[in-house]
Amino acid sequence: MIASFSRLSLLWKILLSTSVAITLLFALTGWIVQRNAVETTKRAMEDQVGASFQAYQSLWESRAELLSSVSLTLSQMSDVRSAFGTRDPATIRDTANELWKRLAIKNAVFLVTDAPGKVIVSVGGMPIAEQDVRTAASRFPEQVSGLLVRGRHLYQTVFTPVYLEGVPQNVLVAGYDVDDLVAKQLKAATGGSEFLFLLDGRPIASSLQPEAARQIAGSLAAHPALERVTIGGLEYAARRTQPLQDIERRPIGDLWILRSFAGASERLAELRRNIILLWLFAVAASLALTYVLAQRIVEPVKDLDRAAAEVARQNYAYRVNVVSQDELGRLARTFNAMCNSIQQARQELIRQERISTIGRLSSSIVHDLRNPLAAVYGGAEMLVDAELTQPQVKRLAANIYRASRRIQELLQDLLNVSRGTAGEAEVCNLRGVAAARCESLLPSVEAQHVDLQIRIPEEIELPLERNRMERVFSNLVGNALEMMPGGGKIQISALTHDGFVVAEVSDTGPGIAPEIRDSLFEPFVSAGKKNGLGLGLALSRQTVLDHGGDMWAESEPGRGACFRLRLPLG
């Protein structure tokens, strides 16, 4: 993954990094916003459930207060007391019906019983037992309120005694049927909270659908401490109110207030959609802006990259266009200044190298020409000024000849240095080429007691510039002889391999001096030699390179040197 990223262009790295950073930022921001939204929604739902409970209590108490006040007012009315004083059921019935119709309390029921609890008149059909009246009578003369359960009906009731001459004569019973309609009225009054009345764990009245009410009732019965319940994919916040009490103030059931998370879930889903849309817009806008800005950054970098490649190809005249005043602009100006400095330094180095080369060449020429010229000058002077015998003249002539030949060889080396083109190659026998120049060195070989062996197979033939290759072998053998004044062994061998001839010239001398090993094939490099310009190895390697081959050396101090030449067969 890291390797793949490293191969991307700088522009793509910037774009990918920007998109990843924005995605992570929005992911973190979205998570924080959503988490806070969920917590806020949860607290809001809890507050709404609490507010619904307060509204329920207020509404429930107002209903009970209405029943109590109406019942108490009726019990104190003179018409009512007169009618009840007749103890005539018909009179009591007519009076009660007339008064209740005048009150017209919606959805309310009304009963009149005698003191023992026998029903005299019933408006609304609420069933009541004599035992209920007797139970309530234990708390008379106070009004008694509570819930009554009759079959699958729940009633909110108020028992009000009517006293005549200090003796309880009748009982007024007023109430409401607590059914689904009442639960839905509570839902409307509390802004959408659901109400569920449970008796023995089963729903008796609810603002929910019957199936949902049964499922929630089952969940709440199994886990009474639940604060959240999920039914049919809908989640509700649940809160249990104080237990429902009968007229003896005993708990007979529970009322649960539930608040659906459906609206909150929709708002959260909308929030998520908005965050995603905002993220997409932000990513698109930021990538577009980043692309424009990155282009302005990357283009100067590309120019610098191209300029660095040109400098690597030794094109020091290349310059970068400076188009800004920022860091990249300063970098471009610095790069141009660096190239200018390198170009000037290179020109100065070339000039100094040329002067140095001329000086070294002049010094070497003067040093190497001084001895043979001295021999020529001395011999000529003796021939002119002295009376010499014939043998002496011949000896002087030989000395002058050898000195002249040495001067000629030095001049030929200088000519070879300046030679830029190769001559015509001809097919030559490699053994013959190596042996031709070695013959001229035989006097030195014998004088120094050196064992010179040529082990090149006769059949090896290849295209060569004969004179130049003869000088290569002559230089290598001559160098070996100079390094072995006390005798040793020189071996010249060759073999063919993969279309090439690999020739070796090895000796048993002291080896190549460590201080010149890295610059062995450079001009004017020599160590431990009394004669020569230091051009032999440089010219020899150049000759091999001109033939399409290569030349290198291997050596260990004290164990001799081995020069290898690789030349193509065709």
Side-chain angles (χ1 to χ4, degrees):
M1 182 65 180
I2 296 176
S4 300
F5 184 78
S6 64
R7 287 194 292 268
L8 294 175
S9 66
L10 182 60
L11 178 60
W12 274 106
K13 289 179 180 178
I14 294 175
L15 293 177
L16 287 178
S17 301
T18 302
S19 61
V20 170
I22 293 175
T23 300
L24 292 177
L25 178 61
F26 266 85
L28 179 61
T29 304
W31 178 79
I32 294 174
V33 171
Q34 180 173 309
R35 185 171 179 270
N36 290 336
V38 170
E39 292 296 326
T40 302
T41 302
K42 180 181 178 182
R43 289 194 294 269
M45 295 297 295
E46 292 174 352
D47 293 341
Q48 289 177 357
V49 171
S52 298
F53 175 67
Q54 297 296 330
Y56 151 76
Q57 280 189 321
S58 176
L59 182 61
W60 195 260
E61 289 173 359
S62 66
R63 290 164 62 96
E65 182 66 26
L66 177 63
L67 291 176
S68 298
S69 61
V70 169
S71 298
L72 184 60
T73 300
L74 289 175
S75 68
Q76 294 176 353
M77 292 177 64
S78 58
D79 294 344
V80 174
R81 296 175 68 83
S82 298
F84 286 0
T86 64
R87 297 183 181 180
D88 180 23
T91 301
I92 294 172
R93 185 181 301 111
D94 292 340
T95 302
N97 285 329
E98 183 180 355
L99 291 173
W100 196 252
K101 288 179 181 178
R102 289 180 185 176
L103 294 174
I105 301 176
K106 189 177 180 180
N107 298 327
V109 293
F110 180 71
L111 291 89
V112 179
T113 71
D114 57 15
K118 183 178 178 181
V119 178
I120 298 174
V121 60
S122 174
V123 179
M126 178 177 66
I128 193 170
E130 295 181 4
Q131 180 61 38
D132 296 329
V133 177
R134 288 193 293 269
T135 300
S138 63
R139 294 169 56 190
F140 289 163
E142 297 178 358
Q143 283 184 309
V144 179
S145 62
L147 294 171
L148 290 178
V149 180
R150 289 295 178 265
R152 294 190 57 81
H153 289 272
L154 180 66
Y155 295 93
Q156 181 185 15
T157 59
V158 176
F159 291 77
T160 305
V162 180
Y163 283 83
L164 295 176
E165 298 178 357
V167 178
Q169 187 69 32
N170 297 92
V171 178
L172 300 178
V173 183
Y176 289 100
D177 186 2
V178 182
D179 55 7
D180 291 346
L181 179 61
V182 173
K184 291 177 180 178
Q185 290 175 347
L186 290 172
K187 176 180 178 179
T190 56
S193 295
E194 306 287 353
F195 286 81
L196 178 61
F197 292 86
L198 298 180
L199 294 179
D200 297 328
R202 54 187 176 82
I204 197 169
S206 172
S207 60
L208 297 163
Q209 294 296 326
E211 182 61 28
R214 283 193 294 272
Q215 293 181 13
I216 293 176
S219 298
L220 295 175
H223 306 283
L226 277 180
E227 294 184 355
R228 293 190 182 185
V229 60
T230 302
I231 297 297
L234 294 177
E235 187 177 10
Y236 295 88
R239 177 173 178 178
R240 182 167 59 177
T241 66
Q242 296 176 354
L244 302 175
Q245 296 179 344
D246 62 7
I247 58 177
E248 296 183 84
R249 298 179 180 175
R250 295 177 305 181
I252 59 173
D254 295 302
L255 170 60
W256 286 85
I257 302 176
L258 303 104
R259 193 78 180 186
S260 174
F261 280 95
S265 298
E266 291 178 0
R267 289 191 293 273
L268 289 175
E270 184 178 1
L271 176 62
R272 293 190 189 98
R273 287 194 297 270
N274 291 337
I275 290 176
I276 292 174
L277 291 176
L278 182 60
W279 168 74
L280 291 175
F281 174 77
V283 168
S286 61
L287 287 180
L289 181 60
T290 302
Y291 180 82
V292 174
L293 295 177
Q295 281 285 73
R296 296 178 62 87
I297 296 174
V298 171
E299 283 303 321
V301 174
K302 288 182 178 178
D303 290 341
L304 287 170
D305 181 61
R306 287 191 292 268
E310 290 295 328
V311 171
R313 289 192 287 268
Q314 298 184 0
N315 181 11
Y316 302 110
Y318 193 90
R319 295 295 182 268
V320 180
N321 292 327
V322 180
V323 295
S324 65
Q325 301 299 320
D326 55 9
E327 290 82 354
L328 290 174
R330 291 196 296 272
L331 179 59
R333 286 192 294 272
T334 303
F335 183 87
N336 290 338
M338 180 191 69
C339 289
N340 188 54
S341 298
I342 293 175
Q343 190 175 21
Q344 293 178 357
R346 184 169 180 269
Q347 292 173 352
E348 180 64 19
L349 180 63
I350 292 173
R351 188 181 69 83
Q352 294 292 339
E353 184 66 23
R354 287 173 178 173
I355 294 174
S356 176
T357 300
I358 293 172
R360 291 164 60 188
L361 181 60
S362 301
S363 176
S364 180
I365 291 174
V366 170
H367 178 272
D368 287 317
L369 288 180
R370 180 179 288 119
N371 290 335
L373 284 176
V376 172
Y377 178 79
E381 185 179 23
M382 291 181 67
L383 287 173
V384 172
D385 297 338
E387 295 292 337
L388 302 175
T389 62
Q390 188 65 26
Q392 290 176 330
V393 171
K394 295 179 86 174
R395 187 164 57 251
L396 287 174
N399 291 337
I400 293 173
Y401 172 77
R402 284 194 296 270
S404 300
R405 184 169 180 176
R406 177 57 182 160
I407 292 173
Q408 184 182 9
E409 290 178 351
L410 291 175
L411 294 176
Q412 185 62 45
D413 287 341
L414 292 175
L415 180 62
N416 290 336
V417 170
S418 63
R419 183 176 181 179
T421 58
E424 293 294 330
E426 57 179 314
V427 178
C428 302
N429 182 276
L430 184 60
R431 181 182 179 89
V433 172
R437 275 303 177 96
C438 289
E439 289 181 359
S440 63
L441 299 174
L442 287 179
S444 298
V445 170
E446 294 175 355
Q448 295 178 210
H449 305 287
V450 173
D451 181 13
L452 176 61
Q453 300 179 2
I454 300 178
R455 296 184 177 180
I456 300 177
E458 292 284 354
E459 64 272 12
I460 296 180
E461 293 185 348
L462 66 165
L464 299 173
E465 289 184 65
R466 186 179 185 93
N467 290 334
R468 297 181 68 190
M469 286 304 301
E470 285 182 359
R471 285 196 296 272
V472 170
F473 285 103
S474 176
N475 283 329
L476 294 178
V477 175
N479 289 340
L481 287 173
E482 286 194 38
M483 302 306 295
M484 296 187 298
K489 180 180 178 181
I490 300 174
Q491 179 174 292
I492 304 175
S493 61
L495 54 84
T496 58
H497 180 69
D498 291 339
F500 286 88
V501 175
V502 179
E504 293 185 0
V505 179
S506 60
D507 61 61
T508 58
I512 300 171
E515 61 269 17
I516 65 168
R517 184 173 300 167
D518 294 335
S519 57
L520 185 63
F521 295 103
E522 294 180 6
F524 309 112
V525 174
S526 63
K529 293 179 62 177
K530 298 179 180 180
N531 299 309
L533 299 176
L535 299 173
L537 289 178
L539 294 174
S540 297
R541 187 169 186 270
Q542 185 61 48
T543 298
V544 176
L545 293 175
D546 291 342
H547 281 77
D550 196 6
M551 178 178 176
W552 66 96
E554 296 177 1
S555 174
E556 293 184 15
R559 301 185 62 178
C562 178
F563 289 84
R564 288 189 171 89
L565 292 73
R566 184 177 61 186
L567 297 167
L569 281 171

